[in-house]
Amino acid sequence: MHNHDTGTSADKLYTDANGFNGSRKVAYRTPAMGGFVGEIALQEANGNGDRGVDLAANYDMGKLHLGAGFSKLGDDKQLALRALYELGPVTFGGYYQRDNVLGGNRNNFRLSAQYTMGATELHANIGAASDIQGLPGSSAHQFTFGVNQNLSKRTKVYAFFTRVGDDDKLKIYSAGNFTSVAFGVRHNF
């Protein structure tokens, strides 16, 4: 929630089927049916002849937002579930993901919360990824604390602290333990 999943505080644990976002694809999105929208996307074949598929289902009804997604490309695949609820000045949510992108299954989750006071937003989130099946010591965690001061609907000043505690073996999340403190201005054009 705090930084649009960009920069050093981006979610390092959530993954998609490798290479799915790097190729051309065609997609169909259903018209909104109440609060439900479904989507399917098919990717052109990669160098191995594998075609990717991406399925998504989202439900938005007032303050409740739910979603599910599935991606597959060759042997790489992932399944994710998400939920978000807005309760006055507090917004909280999270996701659970089961993936197989490095030859073994892995579970990961993230919980996040936002508290709004006028133009100020306080953010916190924590996530964890389990060991990849067959690779003990390959787990990781990430947490972020941040504050946004909205100067207008499109411009804000932000500050955050994030830490990624990487696995001991593969260092696939951040090439080791990583800590960042950031200050900046974001303007959406």
Side-chain angles (χ1 to χ4, degrees):
M1 285 188 270
H2 71 283
N3 202 23
H4 306 284
D5 201 31
T6 60
T8 57
S9 65
D11 188 342
K12 305 293 187 208
L13 309 179
Y14 190 91
T15 188
D16 65 354
N18 281 337
F20 192 79
N21 291 322
S23 297
R24 291 177 290 205
K25 56 185 171 179
V26 62
Y28 173 75
R29 179 177 291 174
T30 67
M33 296 173 279
F36 175 80
V37 175
E39 186 173 341
I40 182 170
L42 300 173
Q43 175 187 339
E44 70 179 348
N46 63 14
N48 297 330
D50 297 322
R51 293 186 186 275
V53 64
D54 190 22
L55 304 171
N58 290 293
Y59 178 78
D60 293 305
M61 189 56 67
K63 299 173 186 272
L64 177 64
H65 312 276
L66 303 173
F70 173 78
S71 300
K72 183 173 185 338
L73 177 62
D75 292 333
D76 294 345
K77 59 188 172 195
Q78 69 86 28
L79 171 68
L81 303 171
R82 69 160 177 92
L84 184 98
Y85 190 74
E86 302 168 65
L87 184 62
V90 177
T91 301
F92 56 93
Y95 71 77
Y96 165 77
Q97 182 185 43
R98 172 89 167 171
D99 66 41
N100 184 329
V101 295
L102 294 170
N105 292 324
R106 179 188 72 148
N107 298 300
N108 73 62
F109 76 91
R110 182 168 303 272
L111 299 174
S112 62
Q114 171 185 304
Y115 181 74
T116 304
M117 301 174 295
T120 304
E121 301 168 351
L122 302 175
H123 297 264
N125 72 64
I126 185 167
S130 68
D131 283 343
I132 297 168
Q133 182 181 16
L135 294 171
S138 60
S139 64
H141 66 275
Q142 180 181 16
F143 65 87
T144 304
F145 300 105
V147 60
N148 293 334
Q149 181 64 40
N150 294 293
L151 304 176
S152 71
K153 286 185 176 185
R154 299 185 319 164
T155 306
K156 68 180 172 183
V157 177
Y158 67 88
F160 65 79
F161 172 84
T162 190
R163 175 160 171 76
V164 179
D166 211 346
D167 58 83
D168 297 327
K169 292 186 176 183
L170 301 177
K171 303 195 184 317
I172 59 173
Y173 304 102
S174 66
N177 292 325
F178 174 79
T179 302
S180 174
V181 176
F183 304 94
V185 176
R186 177 179 296 279
H187 180 76
N188 294 318
F189 292 94

